[in-house]
Amino acid sequence: MRYPHPKLRAENAVIDKFDDELKATAKEMLSIMYKDDGVGLAAPQVGVNKRLMVFNEEGDITKPQLEMILANPVIVGRSDVMALREEGCLSFPMINGKILRHEWIEIEYQNIGGERVSKRLEGFPARIFQHEYDHLDRVLFIDRFVDEDKALNKKRLEKYVKKYGADAAP
Ligand code: CO
């Protein structure tokens, strides 16, 4: 789903069934992510309004050991130290901007089998997580751009709305 598709701003439901359908959704998300050369994807981006995200910090399909599938993720701790870096988003082709994110975070989530997991993420994986987590809370990366990049991308975003409309299909 490309911006400004309404599913990107819709409420995302807590996952309570860890069934084959959820596994299929996660698999599809990973395959779309690799096909589009991304490093992460959130379920609302494929039109599924559930609290599910996937990522692979190298975006490398030959390294499935780096694949993360996270259901109902939460952030339970975060660094005071922030890092500034440019990001892209598969729902916004051709748009990039710099965003401040926590350098490290402590998270809890459920894996695809529903088991609870705690983890600390640092550096790039922490950044990917925060970007995808925002999607689940209906926050888009353009909302967090530093002022300079908000201004730089304003015209392009207006073109998106014109081109794809409020109910844009992927
Ligand atoms: Co995104």
Side-chain angles (χ1 to χ4, degrees):
M1 307 285 150
R2 280 193 181 136
Y3 177 80
H5 197 288
K7 291 224 173 199
L8 295 172
R9 294 287 195 188
E11 189 85 44
N12 294 297
V14 170
I15 293 161
D16 51 12
K17 269 194 237 125
F18 293 83
D19 54 8
D20 287 347
E21 192 189 329
L22 188 72
K23 287 191 183 79
T25 302
K27 208 175 156 190
E28 190 201 341
M29 285 166 64
L30 283 165
S31 114
I32 292 171
M33 179 189 86
Y34 290 128
K35 186 170 67 66
D36 290 349
D37 291 321
V39 291
L41 200 64
Q45 293 182 275
V46 298
V48 176
N49 282 119
K50 288 184 185 169
R51 300 190 71 83
L52 177 69
M53 65 158 87
V54 301
F55 68 86
N56 176 327
E57 63 183 271
E58 293 190 16
D60 187 342
I61 197 168
T62 69
K63 293 184 180 169
Q65 70 274 19
L66 296 176
E67 278 173 10
M68 299 276 293
I69 300 172
L70 304 92
N72 303 326
V74 288
I75 299 176
V76 295
R78 41 178 79 70
S79 64
D80 291 332
V81 179
M82 307 294 282
L84 186 68
R85 183 170 169 165
E86 190 162 271
E87 295 182 11
C89 178
L90 296 182
S91 294
F92 295 79
M94 314 296 290
I95 288 184
N96 297 285
K98 291 182 287 303
I99 296 176
L100 273 172
R101 303 273 190 199
H102 298 280
E103 175 60 25
W104 59 258
I105 47 172
E106 286 165 347
I107 61 166
E108 288 175 7
Y109 63 95
Q110 284 167 279
N111 67 19
I112 197 68
E115 292 148 16
R116 291 182 190 280
V117 183
S118 301
K119 221 181 229 335
R120 180 188 152 107
L121 300 174
E122 193 166 346
F124 194 47
R127 175 167 295 268
I128 301 170
F129 178 96
Q130 289 170 83
H131 177 116
E132 305 310 337
Y133 180 82
D134 271 350
H135 276 293
L136 304 184
D137 279 348
R138 304 185 285 175
V139 175
L140 299 173
F141 81 145
I142 51 171
D143 306 338
R144 293 201 190 272
F145 280 176
V146 296
D147 288 347
E148 170 201 352
D149 287 332
K150 268 190 185 141
L152 275 173
N153 284 294
K154 195 167 177 284
K155 282 239 161 63
R156 199 166 265 172
L157 285 169
E158 283 164 4
K159 272 189 202 155
Y160 264 57
V161 175
K162 265 200 196 121
K163 186 169 172 191
Y164 299 115
D167 56 352

